[in-house]
Amino acid sequence: MTAITVPAVDYATQATRKARRQRLVTTVVVIVMFAISAFFLLPFAWMLTASVRTEGSLLADPATLWPTVFTLDNYSEIWRRIPFGRQLGNTVVFAGVVTVVSVTLNSMAGYALARFDFRGKNVAFLVLILTLMVPIEVTFVPLYNIISNFGWIDTYQGLIVPRMASAFGIFLMRQFFIALPKDLEDAARIDGASEIRIFLRIMWPLAKPAVLTLGMFSLLRNWNDLLWPLMVITRQDMLTLPPGLAMFKGDNLTEFGLLMAGSVVALIPMVVAFLFVQRSFIEGVATTGMK
Amino acid sequence: MRILPAAERRPSTGLSGTKAWRVTSKTRQAFTAWMFIAPAGVIIAIFVFWTLFESLKTSFTDDSGFGSANWVGLANYAQLLSDPRFLNALANTLVYAAVVVPVSIVIALGLAVLLNRPNLPFRGFFRVAVFLPFVTSLGISSMAWWAMLNPHAGIIPAWFEIFGLSLGNGIQDPSLAMLFVMIVGVWRDVGFFMVMYLGGLQSIPKELRESAQIDGAGPWKSFWSITWPLLANTTMFVGIMALVFAFQAFDQIYIMTGGGPFFRTETLVLYIFSTAVERYQLGYASAISWVLVLLVFVVSLFQVGYFSKRTVQY
C-alpha cells in the first residue's frame, strides 16, 4: 500500500506547486500589463480630461487626471473658433471616398495578379514590390507640381485622386487571392460565367476579411494623415482635421482645453470603427507578417 | 447563368476543361487581366512611377518652382556634402532609426510573448490598449504628448516634480527633445509590431515547445533555441517596416518640436519638407530625397541578407 501512496502524494504536491507557480506568474504578468496599458492609454485619458476642464483648473493643478471644475464649453466653443464642422466634413469625404475607391481598384488589380496568367505578370509584380520600398516623401516635389498644374490645389480631387490606388493595397489583396482554391472559378468558367461575374459574385465575397483589413488600413491612413493635406491644401476651410487642429495649436499656444476637445472629436470615429472590426482587423494585420 | 446540355458539361475538377479554356482564350485572358489592372495601374503610373522619374530628373536641376530649371548635373549632390544642416539631419535620422528600430522590436516581441500566455485574463483589453496609438492620428496624439510635456500645464513634469525631479523646459530642452520624439515614435508603432509577432507566435506548432519542455528546456532556453529562430521571417518583416517608419518619421516631430530646438530633432524628411515647401528649393529637396531612398534601400538589403541566412523552416 505504502509503495503506491508515496509517489501518488508526490505527484499531487508537484502538480499543485506547478499550478501555484503558474498562477503567480500569471498574476505578475497581468499587473505588469496593466501598468504598460496605462502608459499607452495615458495620452487619450489626458486628452479626455483636459477637454472637460477649464484652463484655470488645468494650470492650477496639472498633476491630476481628475477634473475639479467640469465644463463642456470647450466642445461648443471649438465649432466657433475654427471651421471645425467643415474640416470634419472634409475628413469624412476625403477618407471615405479614398477608402471605397481604393479598396475596389486595389482588389481588382490584386485579383488579376493572383489569378490570371499573362505576359508581363512577373515584371508587374516585381515593380510593385520595389515601389513598396520607396519612401513616399521622394515623390513630394513632382506630386505637388502635378497637382498644381492640374489646378487641383485646395480641391477634393487633388486630395483624393493620387490616393485612389496603392502598391501596398494591391500587394495585400494579391497575397489573399493567391491562397484561394482554383476549383471554384474553374467550375464557374465551365458553366459560362463571365470573368467580371466570377470576380464580383464568387471571389469578392470570399475576400471579405482581406477587404475589411485593407479598408480599415486605408480609412486610418487617410483620416489620420497630416502631411499630405498640408501639402495639397492651403485654405483653412479645405483642410482635414489633423492639420486643421495642428494650425490651431500654432495660433493659440495655451488653449489646451479647446485643442483637446477638437482632438477628442477627431479621434472618436476611428476608435469606434476600430473597436467594431477589432478582432478581424488585428487578425488581418497579424497574418501580414507571418510568412 | 447559361445551363449547358449535359453532354457539353465538363467535369469541374478535371484538367480538360481548364486546359481548353486556357488554350482557346489566352489572349482574351491577358486582355481581361490588364482590364482589371488598368484603373489602379494608371493611378500608380502617374502618381508614383512618373513622379519618381521626375524627382530623379529634378534632383539634377536648380528648379526653384519659378521660371525654367537648368541642368546642373551632380551639383546638388556635391553641395549636400558641405551642407551642415543636411549632415545634421542625416545624423539625426540615423540616430533616430538606430534607437527606435531595435527598441520597438524588443518591446513588441516582449509584449507579444507576455500576451501569448494561454488563459491570460484581460488579454483582449491589453491588445487593444497597446494597439490603439497605431489606430489614431499621430498628428493629433502628438499634440496631447506635447501638451502633457508642457512645463506649466503638463502632467508629466508635474509627476516628476512629485518625486523631486525637474524636466525643465520639457520638449524645448535640447538634450531631451530627441528622446521625447523617440518615445512617441515607439509608443505609436509598438502595438502594430506586437500584433505581427502574435501572428508569428501563433503559427509556431505547440508540439515543438512542448517537446522542448519535456526534454527539460527552461522558458529562456526554449525561447532562444525554438521561438526566436522560428520568428526570423516575422522579425525580418517587422524590421523592414520599423526601418521604413523610422526613416519616414514626420508627424510627431513636426508637431512636438518642428525640428528644433537648434535643429536637434530635424530629420531628413523634415529637412526635405522645409527645403521644398517652405523655401521652394525643389532641385535640392529632390537630391535629399534620393539620398533617403538610397539609405532605406541599402539598410533593407542588409537586413534581408542577415535574416535570410538565419531563416528556419519547420
Side-chain angles (χ1 to χ4, degrees):
Chain A
M1 281 303 273
T2 42
I4 300 163
T5 45
V6 168
V9 167
D10 237 353
Y11 280 134
T13 45
Q14 226 174 17
T16 43
R17 202 178 296 157
K18 203 183 164 196
R20 204 177 296 157
R21 212 185 59 199
Q22 284 282 352
R23 256 203 313 271
L24 184 72
V25 172
T26 303
T27 313
V28 171
V29 169
V30 166
I31 292 168
V32 168
M33 279 312 301
F34 266 118
I36 292 172
S37 303
F39 170 75
F40 278 89
L41 293 177
L42 178 65
F44 302 110
W46 193 87
M47 227 182 255
L48 211 58
T49 64
S51 73
V52 294
R53 292 169 81 168
T54 58
E55 207 68 32
S57 109
L58 187 69
L59 289 169
D61 195 9
T64 178
L65 274 173
W66 203 251
T68 38
V69 187
F70 182 88
T71 170
L72 286 174
D73 287 353
N74 292 322
Y75 283 92
S76 52
E77 186 64 18
I78 184 89
W79 304 81
R80 259 168 281 164
R81 293 292 281 279
I82 55 169
F84 187 78
R86 177 69 200 262
Q87 290 180 355
L88 183 63
N90 293 339
T91 317
V92 171
V93 169
F94 169 54
V97 173
V98 167
T99 299
V100 171
V101 176
S102 74
V103 167
T104 310
L105 300 191
N106 289 338
S107 36
M108 281 167 62
Y111 175 72
L113 282 177
R115 312 299 291 195
F116 290 117
D117 247 335
F118 58 94
R119 273 179 68 171
K121 175 172 149 172
N122 291 334
V123 178
F125 185 60
L126 195 75
V127 170
L128 195 72
I129 295 286
L130 281 177
T131 56
L132 275 177
M133 303 272 293
V134 177
I136 40 155
E137 283 78 9
V138 182
T139 58
F140 276 178
V141 174
L143 210 48
Y144 180 83
N145 282 339
I146 296 184
I147 302 288
S148 101
N149 284 340
F150 286 179
W152 282 2
I153 296 294
D154 287 327
T155 63
Y156 287 123
Q157 60 267 35
L159 272 177
I160 292 169
V161 174
R163 284 279 166 96
M164 289 197 315
S166 76
F168 171 76
I170 298 175
F171 179 73
L172 195 86
M173 293 311 294
R174 177 202 176 263
Q175 296 305 91
F176 182 84
F177 279 124
I178 213 159
L180 292 180
K182 190 107 185 146
D183 291 358
L184 274 170
E185 51 183 297
D186 281 345
R189 253 173 217 144
I190 288 148
D191 283 345
S194 72
E195 292 303 323
I196 293 175
R197 201 188 164 92
I198 293 173
F199 174 68
L200 286 178
R201 288 291 158 81
I202 299 172
M203 306 309 271
W204 176 275
L206 283 174
K208 213 174 140 195
V211 167
L212 199 74
T213 306
L214 179 58
M216 195 64 199
F217 261 124
S218 170
L219 191 67
L220 292 177
R221 178 179 175 216
N222 294 294
W223 185 281
N224 294 336
D225 207 350
L226 178 72
L227 187 48
W228 175 238
L230 215 50
M231 283 174 52
V232 182
I233 304 297
T234 59
R235 274 172 33 200
Q236 259 232 338
D237 65 335
M238 279 303 292
L239 278 175
T240 56
L241 282 176
L245 289 167
M247 299 218 155
F248 185 60
K249 171 208 156 200
D251 291 335
N252 305 281
L253 278 170
T254 48
E255 290 182 273
F256 297 107
L258 277 179
L259 189 57
M260 291 309 132
S263 301
V264 169
V265 177
L267 290 185
I268 281 177
M270 286 309 100
V271 174
V272 170
F274 166 65
L275 291 178
F276 258 106
V277 300
Q278 185 245 114
R279 193 164 284 273
S280 36
F281 179 56
I282 286 185
E283 264 157 35
V285 172
T287 46
T288 333
M290 246 150 64
K291 290 272 156 155
Chain B
M1 213 177 285
R2 191 166 56 96
I3 310 273
L4 293 168
E8 286 178 39
R9 275 192 212 156
R10 297 182 178 106
S12 57
T13 46
L15 262 178
S16 56
T18 344
K19 215 170 186 177
W21 183 80
R22 270 197 200 133
V23 173
T24 51
S25 57
K26 206 160 180 194
T27 7
R28 211 188 75 194
Q29 199 186 1
F31 178 76
T32 320
W34 285 111
M35 289 320 287
F36 270 85
I37 294 176
V42 169
I43 301 282
I44 290 185
I46 296 174
F47 295 106
V48 180
F49 297 147
W50 194 76
T51 50
L52 273 177
F53 174 71
E54 276 296 302
S55 121
L56 189 61
K57 235 172 61 184
T58 310
S59 76
F60 299 116
T61 69
D62 62 359
D63 196 340
S64 61
F66 308 101
S68 61
N70 301 308
W71 187 265
V72 295
L74 289 169
N76 286 327
Y77 292 92
Q79 195 190 329
L80 284 175
L81 296 174
S82 57
D83 175 355
R85 200 171 154 186
F86 165 76
L87 296 173
N88 169 63
L90 179 65
N92 285 341
T93 307
L94 293 174
V95 168
Y96 181 90
V99 174
V100 166
V101 173
V103 167
S104 311
I105 292 178
V106 169
I107 296 178
L109 181 58
L111 288 175
V113 170
L114 286 185
L115 286 195
N116 200 41
R117 289 183 70 79
N119 311 321
L120 182 76
F122 309 110
R123 174 199 276 189
F125 169 78
F126 298 143
R127 206 173 55 165
V128 168
V130 177
F131 196 69
L132 201 59
F134 188 77
V135 172
T136 47
S137 163
L138 184 59
I140 288 174
S141 47
S142 299
M143 284 186 262
W145 277 105
W146 166 82
M148 288 195 315
L149 288 164
N150 182 282
H152 306 295
I155 192 166
I156 295 174
W159 280 354
F160 269 73
E161 247 162 64
I162 294 174
F163 295 102
L165 301 162
S166 171
L167 275 184
N169 284 329
I171 193 69
Q172 274 149 28
D173 188 325
S175 56
L176 291 176
M178 187 55 129
L179 179 69
F180 289 138
V181 297
M182 282 172 171
I183 290 174
V184 176
V186 172
W187 169 81
R188 174 205 154 84
D189 292 332
V190 148
F192 182 61
F193 302 142
M194 173 195 76
V195 165
M196 288 185 169
Y197 269 125
L198 274 172
L201 284 172
Q202 266 145 34
S203 75
I204 297 176
K206 274 203 186 71
E207 302 83 52
L208 273 176
R209 255 174 301 171
E210 275 163 14
S211 64
Q213 246 172 12
I214 289 163
D215 289 346
W220 198 246
K221 168 114 192 175
S222 90
F223 175 82
W224 281 115
S225 50
I226 294 174
T227 313
W228 176 245
L230 288 179
L231 284 176
N233 269 325
T234 309
T235 304
M236 179 164 81
F237 192 80
V238 167
I240 289 176
M241 296 294 278
L243 194 78
V244 172
F245 286 171
F247 280 155
Q248 292 182 13
F250 178 83
D251 293 18
Q252 88 272 29
I253 310 180
Y254 180 78
I255 295 288
M256 290 171 70
T257 68
F262 311 116
F263 304 108
R264 284 295 180 93
T265 57
E266 185 172 75
T267 56
L268 285 178
V269 177
L270 268 102
Y271 190 34
I272 294 169
F273 183 76
S274 104
T275 312
V277 178
E278 287 158 14
R279 291 191 290 154
Y280 298 109
Q281 296 177 357
L282 304 185
Y284 197 52
S286 299
I288 310 170
S289 307
W290 279 90
V291 174
L292 184 63
V293 174
L294 210 67
L295 208 61
V296 174
F297 197 67
V298 169
V299 181
S300 306
L301 276 186
F302 267 110
Q303 263 179 326
V304 172
Y306 180 86
F307 280 104
S308 52
K309 263 185 260 158
R310 281 161 185 77
T311 300
V312 185
Q313 295 296 333
Y314 45 88

